[in-house]
Amino acid sequence: MIRPSLSFLALIAIMSGPAGSLAGPTPEEAARIADVIRPTADFTRAEPFEALPAGAATSKKRSLDTNSFSQHSGNMDFERQLDFKLGNALFKRLWVSSPASTDSADGLGPLFNARSCQRCHLKDGRGHPPVANWPDDSAVSMFLRLSIPPETEEQRADLAANRRNVIPEPTYGGQLQDLAIQGHAAEGKMHIVYEEEPVTLADGEVVSLRRPTYSITNLGYGPLHPEVMMSPRVAPPMIGLGLLESIAEEDILSWADPDDADGDGISGRANRVWDKEAGAVALGRFGWKAGEPTMLQQSTHAINGDIGISAPLAPAPAGDCTAAQNLCLDAPHGASARHEGFEASSEMLRLITFYSQNLAVPARRNPEDPQVLAGKKVFYESGCIDCHRPKYVTQREAVGREQSFQLIWPYTDLLLHDMGEGLADNRPEGLANGREWRTPPLWGIGLTETVNGHTQFLHDGRARSLLEAILWHGGEAQAARDRVVALGTSEREALLAFLNSL
């Protein structure tokens, strides 16, 4: 392998948009970039700049605490930090029902899952399933997606053209809202039952996995459609999202192999979804099944569906209320002329999106530690990087100057993979089928307990540790999972040390 020059690596790690041309890389740069992002085969030492997983945008905060995911991009100019703080204030805003004296913060619901973005994305980190079922606990940072198979030719045509990802359940909409404002009935309560399943590892250690079963109790608006499909989702961490948005589409698609042409058992597929702002089909990048193309659309759909707030790309003033919920549709709303006829203006969504794009990835911990390096070798050689692609160089023409031309280490390919029957939700979303999930980024995963006080992973938080999360892998990841099962104790502990260093 020809090692790239230190000066070029420094350029990637330090350079931001205004310092260079917005044109694409030169042929020489492209060749060097290809060399830089090629997975290493040297595990005797950390790679250059590996300690900075987001390049110059890596958080400058070095002390570890509950605010480790709430820092702005490390290369952000002082002038732009004001927008970040304004976005943070809107992200934390507690919305109230209409009418209210606070006419810039009213319009909650009438049906909703949380009163603020922060209530789901706790400390900008990872949500979790409830400790117990309602009424003993609530599911604020987790909810159920709902949909049905298409029933009309129009619905089938919309799905085929990627104009819609799903057909919402006709009475309850696209997700179960378990809260409501005064005078309205909540839609219902998520109910989870776990069954323990033991897995014996090669060294004799027994790990118990919990298999969840989901149902809905206390239905507020009558029976569900007989063919309803439910998918549980915990709120994912918010760090590094602008950098993921700034990876060139061709770089993501270069890893796609939908027909497994190379015969390695890995068949990454791109999700294609409707970009409302562009009015065209685009690559899906965000959400557990890559159902959203941009952070603006992701943020808009979240504030509309989770909180019930209307915005330019989601104009329904009653959020996810359906035609079967007349009281909800007729309730007062907070739309006003000062907000362009919505409850949240385009400027408010711009600030929330800017904040979301610039939540910084923390620096690595101990990347030179011998056990961490040994675990990195296990991670690479077990085949985990076939989906969790280690690194990219973002585009010069990125979503913001902070994201421009950075060497980043997210450990994801942003593609859909069949994860086996064990993790299947049996609910399609766009081109994703009921067994496919987008590869989640791993950066920051080792700080979950520090930030959020738990170690619950996967789309529904069923895994109570990183080891449990690995053991749930099936389908395209079955071979990699089986290699982990076969590891000796010291190798497995090294693998977990590597993951916890990310």
Side-chain angles (χ1 to χ4, degrees), residues 35-97:
D35 194 35
V36 166
I37 66 173
R38 184 176 300 116
T40 186
D42 179 4
F43 304 101
T44 62
R45 58 183 177 179
E47 297 172 73
F49 301 101
E50 189 174 358
L52 300 175
T58 303
S59 172
K60 291 183 177 179
K61 180 180 175 64
R62 294 296 180 261
S63 59
L64 303 180
D65 56 33
T66 57
N67 293 314
S68 292
F69 288 172
S70 300
Q71 309 303 307
H72 59 73
S73 298
N75 55 350
M76 182 177 287
D77 295 341
F78 178 78
E79 293 79 6
R80 287 165 67 84
Q81 291 177 29
L82 176 60
D83 276 1
F84 182 84
K85 292 175 181 177
L86 290 172
N88 185 20
L90 290 168
F91 198 80
K92 293 179 177 178
R93 166 176 284 179
L94 292 174
W95 293 84
V96 299
S97 58

Side-chain angles (χ1 to χ4, degrees), residues 280-480:
V281 175
L283 175 69
R285 296 174 187 247
F286 302 108
W288 286 104
K289 286 182 181 273
E292 298 289 1
T294 66
M295 275 311 301
L296 175 61
Q297 189 161 306
Q298 171 72 35
S299 300
T300 301
H301 284 169
I303 200 172
N304 186 250
D306 301 350
I307 309 177
I309 301 299
S310 61
L313 294 182
D320 192 38
C321 295
T322 70
Q325 298 168 330
N326 292 327
L327 186 62
C328 180
L329 294 175
D330 294 338
H333 57 77
S336 65
R338 66 182 297 185
H339 292 148
E340 306 161 37
F342 306 104
E343 291 163 325
S345 67
S346 57
E347 176 63 7
M348 293 166 71
L349 262 297
R350 183 191 73 81
L351 290 167
I352 291 172
T353 301
F354 181 79
Y355 173 75
S356 301
Q357 290 169 330
N358 280 285
L359 283 163
V361 179
R364 284 281 303 280
R365 278 84 56 211
N366 304 318
E368 293 278 5
D369 182 89
Q371 187 184 37
V372 169
L373 289 169
K376 179 181 177 182
K377 184 175 189 288
V378 173
F379 186 85
Y380 279 51
E381 294 183 350
S382 294
C384 302
I385 64 168
D386 290 341
C387 299
H388 291 283
R389 299 288 176 178
K391 47 188 169 174
Y392 299 84
V393 173
T394 60
Q395 301 176 90
R396 277 197 177 101
E397 196 167 0
V399 297
R401 65 186 69 167
E402 295 81 9
Q403 291 77 33
S404 177
F405 208 48
Q406 300 297 324
L407 172 63
I408 64 172
W409 309 68
Y411 286 93
T412 177
D413 60 8
L414 296 177
L415 297 174
L416 301 170
H417 294 277
D418 182 333
M419 294 300 294
E421 189 58 37
L423 288 179
D425 66 352
N426 299 309
R427 176 183 178 271
E429 182 177 332
L431 298 182
N433 65 38
R435 292 166 56 101
E436 289 179 316
W437 299 95
R438 183 203 68 160
T439 307
L442 297 182
W443 49 15
I445 198 167
L447 290 175
T448 301
E449 186 169 18
T450 299
V451 173
N452 295 123
H454 68 82
T455 55
Q456 299 183 74
F457 303 103
L458 300 177
H459 66 281
D460 56 1
R462 69 176 68 185
R464 293 161 292 193
S465 67
L466 288 172
L467 180 57
E468 284 188 32
I470 294 169
L471 296 178
W472 272 111
H473 283 48
E476 296 174 44
Q478 184 71 43

Side-chain angles (χ1 to χ4, degrees), residues 229-296:
M229 297 176 285
M230 300 184 293
S231 183
R233 307 288 173 88
V234 297
M238 298 288 294
I239 56 174
L241 297 178
L243 292 162
L244 298 179
E245 194 169 6
S246 298
I247 299 172
E249 180 173 329
E250 55 267 29
D251 290 347
I252 297 171
L253 297 180
S254 69
W255 299 114
D257 185 16
D259 300 317
D260 193 18
D262 59 7
D264 66 353
I266 308 298
S267 307
R269 298 198 308 130
N271 204 351
R272 289 289 179 179
V273 299
W274 190 253
D275 185 330
K276 293 183 177 180
E277 188 178 30
V281 175
L283 175 69
R285 296 174 187 247
F286 302 108
W288 286 104
K289 286 182 181 273
E292 298 289 1
T294 66
M295 275 311 301
L296 175 61

Side-chain angles (χ1 to χ4, degrees), residues 170-220:
T171 300
Y172 290 89
Q175 67 191 60
L176 182 76
Q177 276 90 21
D178 58 353
L179 299 172
I181 64 174
Q182 187 173 4
H184 294 257
E187 291 187 323
K189 302 295 181 180
M190 177 173 59
H191 188 85
I192 314 174
V193 176
Y194 291 107
E195 180 181 355
E196 297 288 338
E197 299 181 0
V199 176
T200 302
L201 306 181
D203 63 356
E205 180 178 342
V206 178
V207 179
S208 185
L209 305 184
R210 57 177 187 175
R211 182 182 296 275
T213 301
Y214 297 91
S215 60
I216 301 174
T217 63
N218 298 83
L219 286 169

